[in-house]
Amino acid sequence: MADYKTIRGTATFEYEEKRSRFIATASFADTEEKALAVLNAVRAANRTARHNVYAYVLQNGRTRYSDDGEPAKTIRYPTAGAPAKTAGTPVLETIGHAGVADVIVVVTRDFGGILLGTGGLVRAYTAAASGALQSAELVSMRLVVDCKVRVSYAQFEQAQRIIA
């Protein structure tokens, strides 16, 4: 497997749009169970929030997202031209554009009383998720295998060169 980028620990970012607060939490999660544990912890910490939108991308290729009750009307991205939903898909796209894996991003929305419309929701969720990922510490993961090799003394230098 090739090397890949992920984040270390957890990072948060807050974004405000027309009195609605969007609090994004980006966290390392290398399994689906860990991703769901982060989601549940964010939900528990923000019980009064109306929406906890999330998306995650795992190195094994598994991706998942949820709009968590945000409008499901599809819109079109100006650049991509592909239909997308208003909350979970923009968060998932933001993770993809950051080029990271083994990451979950949860964006909690406290509704401020002013409707943002579909375009406003996409911009707000994208900005919050992007801010959390930008404030996170990026790390490169290299998949390695430990092994022991027994060689004769005469083959020692050749084995060192091959291993290097």
Side-chain angles (χ1 to χ4, degrees):
M1 276 190 176
D3 298 351
Y4 68 98
K5 291 189 307 183
T6 189
I7 64 171
R8 183 187 314 270
T10 301
T12 59
F13 181 81
E14 189 170 325
Y15 178 80
E16 190 166 323
E17 179 74 25
K18 295 183 182 177
R19 296 194 330 228
S20 284
R21 281 184 27 199
F22 295 82
I23 305 159
T25 303
S27 187
F28 173 79
D30 58 354
T31 65
E32 199 162 0
E33 292 78 22
K34 289 178 184 176
L36 295 176
V38 170
L39 172 63
N40 291 330
V42 170
R43 281 183 175 156
N46 299 288
R47 291 191 192 280
T48 60
R50 292 187 95 175
H51 306 284
N52 287 291
V53 170
Y54 72 91
Y56 62 81
V57 175
L58 303 180
Q59 175 61 22
N60 65 11
R62 177 85 168 131
T63 62
R64 193 170 183 186
Y65 70 92
S66 169
D67 288 334
D68 194 34
E70 287 288 14
K73 178 180 178 185
T74 58
I75 62 159
R76 293 202 177 272
Y77 282 109
T79 55
K85 296 189 179 184
T86 59
T89 303
V91 174
L92 183 62
E93 289 290 322
T94 302
I95 296 170
H97 288 304
V100 293
D102 288 348
V103 171
I104 181 169
V105 177
V106 183
V107 182
T108 302
R109 179 183 181 199
D110 284 326
F111 185 59
I114 299 172
L115 296 176
L116 301 179
T118 55
L121 285 173
V122 169
R123 284 189 298 276
Y125 279 108
T126 300
S130 179
L133 289 170
Q134 288 175 6
S135 65
E137 179 186 354
L138 282 179
V139 294
S140 290
M141 299 293 279
R142 174 166 285 164
L143 302 174
V144 296
V145 176
D146 285 333
C147 63
K148 290 183 181 183
V149 178
R150 188 174 283 221
V151 296
S152 69
Y153 184 74
Q155 296 173 320
F156 179 73
E157 286 185 27
Q158 183 181 7
Q160 273 190 315
R161 285 193 303 274
I162 292 171
I163 291 170

